[in-house]
Amino acid sequence: MSGKISMIINYTKLTYQMTSSYQRYKRRVEAMPRKLYCQECRGSGEHFEDRIAEHDLMSSCGWCQGTGLLTPWMRGQWLKEKRNDKLR
Ligand SMILES: [Zn+2]
């Protein structure tokens, strides 16, 4: 019984941590004097995944965490990744 309860608590804690890190990230990128739009999702915060039965399947962009904005460091990582893709 107690095991089940602690699992629920951990899940709540995890969800809270994910939300708060998203909020922190969002606040940080929005406070930047010069906005860097995420080129992976073109600033929309979402990725087009697939089209099934006339519905666009969208998933939140992992690069900008769904904010549509990147920190300069993240932009650097993105550029590095794109360069590696080309070399492969
Ligand atoms: Zn993005």
Side-chain angles (χ1 to χ4, degrees), residues 37-47 60-70 78:
Y37 286 96
C38 176
Q39 292 178 339
E40 191 70 19
C41 61
R42 295 181 183 84
S44 73
E46 283 181 322
H47 263 308
S60 143
C61 173
W63 281 99
C64 57
Q65 297 192 27
T67 62
L69 297 166
L70 289 180
W78 183 81

Side-chain angles (χ1 to χ4, degrees), residues 45-70:
E46 283 181 322
H47 263 308
F48 176 75
E49 291 250 307
D50 209 348
R51 197 169 165 85
I52 293 172
E54 306 289 306
H55 286 285
D56 288 340
L57 281 185
M58 305 295 283
S59 74
S60 143
C61 173
W63 281 99
C64 57
Q65 297 192 27
T67 62
L69 297 166
L70 289 180

